[in-house]
Amino acid sequence: MKGTFLTDVQELRRRARAHVEAGAVTEGYKGDRETVIKLLNEALATELVCVLRYKRHYFMATGIHAEPVAAEFQQHAKEEQGHADEIAGRITQLGGEPNFHPDGMLTRSHSEYVEGDSLTDMIREDLIAERIAIDSYAEMIRYVGEDDPTTRRMLETILAKEEEHADDMAKLLSSLDPTKA
Ligand SMILES: [Fe+2]
Ligand SMILES: [Fe+2]
């Protein structure tokens, strides 16, 4: 039946009416919902840990180069919070529950929470965390594939932002410490 548009309209309407309580999740949903929700909860934890780490770095940034770097930390914290909100929203659309529980958050998270002793340390740790996020989003995107285009699109947009973040941190690092570039 390739080439024809999926099902007849009656069948589409019937499917939409059945299981109305499932909201945005229809019978046509091709993803493994449980797994997608679990992965999204790990992404949520990753983003929340990133918010906390960037906030810590923002408030602890000191020294002559601190001001522009701190501003960047603050900006990233805000953007990671935005990602966390988008992910939590998608989890509820899929009929799941976003896990905001502090217990186990660091275990669910893919990125780490490292405080760092100096400005350079902080930037390096943030760069590492962004590189982890990049790999983990890329893997999730490959997993979701064509099964859940909405989740995939969201993950792709977030991935592009994480790449920007990594680039920001790499540039800051090389401007402060040319030996690490
Ligand atoms: Fe993020
Ligand atoms: Fe990021």
Side-chain angles (χ1 to χ4, degrees):
M1 288 301 268
K2 221 175 170 208
T4 55
F5 179 72
L6 51 130
T7 342
D8 70 274
V9 178
Q10 294 303 324
E11 171 60 11
L12 257 168
R13 289 180 181 158
R14 186 202 62 76
R15 279 202 247 151
R17 278 184 186 283
H19 315 297
V20 185
E21 73 287 352
V25 182
T26 63
E27 284 180 43
Y29 184 76
K30 295 273 190 292
D32 171 353
R33 218 167 43 89
E34 302 261 288
T35 306
V36 172
I37 290 168
K38 181 179 170 286
L39 290 176
L40 289 178
N41 264 317
E42 288 173 15
L44 175 61
T46 301
E47 294 292 349
L48 294 170
V49 166
C50 287
V51 171
L52 296 173
R53 197 193 55 255
Y54 274 124
K55 281 285 181 191
R56 158 80 188 195
H57 291 176
Y58 167 69
F59 285 105
M60 291 301 285
T62 53
I64 49 167
H65 302 294
E67 220 175 288
V69 177
E72 198 78 22
F73 289 160
Q74 180 75 312
Q75 178 66 26
H76 284 199
K78 224 166 94 189
E79 286 165 352
E80 311 300 17
Q81 181 63 65
H83 294 164
D85 290 346
E86 278 183 68
I87 294 165
R90 184 60 186 154
I91 291 171
T92 56
Q93 272 186 352
L94 289 172
E97 292 181 15
N99 190 348
F100 282 95
H101 208 300
D103 276 355
M105 185 173 291
L106 208 44
T107 316
R108 292 192 301 279
S109 166
H110 297 167
S111 58
E112 296 163 294
Y113 179 90
V114 180
E115 294 179 340
D117 293 327
S118 64
L119 205 51
T120 315
D121 271 0
M122 294 178 199
I123 299 167
R124 190 180 312 109
E125 286 305 328
D126 291 329
L127 174 56
I128 292 167
E130 296 292 354
R131 288 168 57 82
I132 292 171
I134 289 168
D135 273 349
S136 95
Y137 281 117
E139 212 177 306
M140 272 185 241
I141 290 164
R142 277 195 295 275
Y143 171 78
V144 171
E146 306 302 314
D147 293 344
D148 181 343
T150 307
T151 297
R152 185 196 165 106
R153 218 162 33 242
M154 176 190 76
L155 295 172
E156 284 171 344
T157 311
I158 296 176
L159 171 61
K161 188 50 93 176
E162 308 305 1
E163 287 176 351
E164 257 180 63
H165 287 170
D167 193 48
D168 292 342
M169 290 299 116
K171 283 181 178 141
L172 281 179
L173 193 62
S174 62
S175 71
L176 289 186
D177 187 352
T179 62
K180 300 283 171 10

